[in-house]
Amino acid sequence: MNIKNNIKEITICTVCTNDEVLIQKNIELFSKLNKKINIKWVICINKKLKDNKIFADYGSSIKYVEGIEKEHIGSIALHHSIGLNSTLKFIDSRFVIFIDPDFFILRNNFLEDITKYIVSNKLSFIGVPWHPKWNRKYRYFPCSHCLVVDTKNI
């Protein structure tokens, strides 16, 4: 079955604590490798902001969300999760990717391919699994490092 992809836009959500270089590289890579889709970034800044505009957009639009400083939360994982949660209200596209700053996707046209795959297989979400060394995590279930969601189904 050949499914035509009508997806024109995707939102990518991430959290920035002290990883501006990694996020900037991700913005650049997604923009270079996915020219057919309009990319909207929602970035929670989990530290004190010095500038209103931190990242070069490479043709993408970027929405900055004010997070909380890590001193207010004891757990790094919880700090990151609260930041990702604060991006939710700014998602207005059908598809969204939640991605860690240090997770890179190097495939050309990945966004078009993955959205086609999700639609053709009637999936609600797809993502990377936990590494086997994390034996207390759910096996073969997508984790938060990179999760693609179809908001039409969730």
Side-chain angles (χ1 to χ4, degrees):
M1 178 167 52
N2 188 5
I3 293 196
K4 185 177 178 188
N5 192 1
N6 295 324
I7 305 306
K8 302 284 185 227
E9 175 175 89
I10 197 163
T11 303
I12 303 175
C13 298
T14 194
V15 176
C16 178
T17 305
N18 288 313
D19 30 32
E20 291 89 349
V21 172
L22 298 173
I23 293 173
Q24 186 63 71
K25 191 55 157 172
N26 243 329
I27 293 169
E28 179 182 347
L29 284 169
F30 269 106
S31 298
K32 279 185 180 178
L33 298 174
N34 299 279
K35 296 196 182 289
K36 295 179 185 176
I37 295 181
N38 180 35
I39 302 169
K40 295 166 56 175
W41 285 86
V42 181
I43 304 172
C44 177
I45 308 297
N46 263 353
K47 64 180 195 172
K48 285 186 182 178
L49 264 174
K50 294 178 184 165
D51 297 316
N52 288 341
K53 183 179 177 185
I54 300 173
F55 302 106
D57 59 20
Y58 290 92
S60 300
S61 67
I62 300 175
K63 166 77 177 159
Y64 296 101
V65 177
E66 186 177 348
I68 53 176
E69 295 178 49
K70 64 182 174 183
E71 292 77 26
H72 297 307
I73 304 291
S75 164
I76 293 170
L78 181 58
H79 183 240
H80 184 83
S81 299
I82 291 170
L84 272 181
N85 196 46
S86 70
T87 66
L88 295 177
K89 62 184 168 189
F90 300 102
I91 299 168
D92 58 5
S93 60
R94 175 176 174 179
F95 290 94
V96 61
I97 297 177
F98 298 96
I99 195 166
D100 281 358
D102 60 350
F103 192 95
F104 298 99
I105 300 171
L106 305 176
R107 180 178 169 158
N108 274 321
N109 301 313
F110 170 78
L111 298 178
E112 183 177 18
D113 293 344
I114 197 68
T115 55
K116 259 188 212 175
Y117 184 82
I118 289 171
V119 170
S120 67
N121 290 283
K122 298 179 174 120
L123 300 175
S124 298
F125 56 86
I126 192 170
V128 299
W130 288 101
H131 189 280
K133 76 176 183 178
W134 300 106
N135 59 7
R136 292 187 177 198
K137 303 292 184 180
Y138 290 106
R139 198 66 131 164
Y140 312 113
F141 192 80
C143 70
S144 59
H145 303 307
C146 179
L147 180 67
V148 185
V149 177
D150 183 350
T151 63
K152 182 178 176 182
N153 294 327
I154 292 190

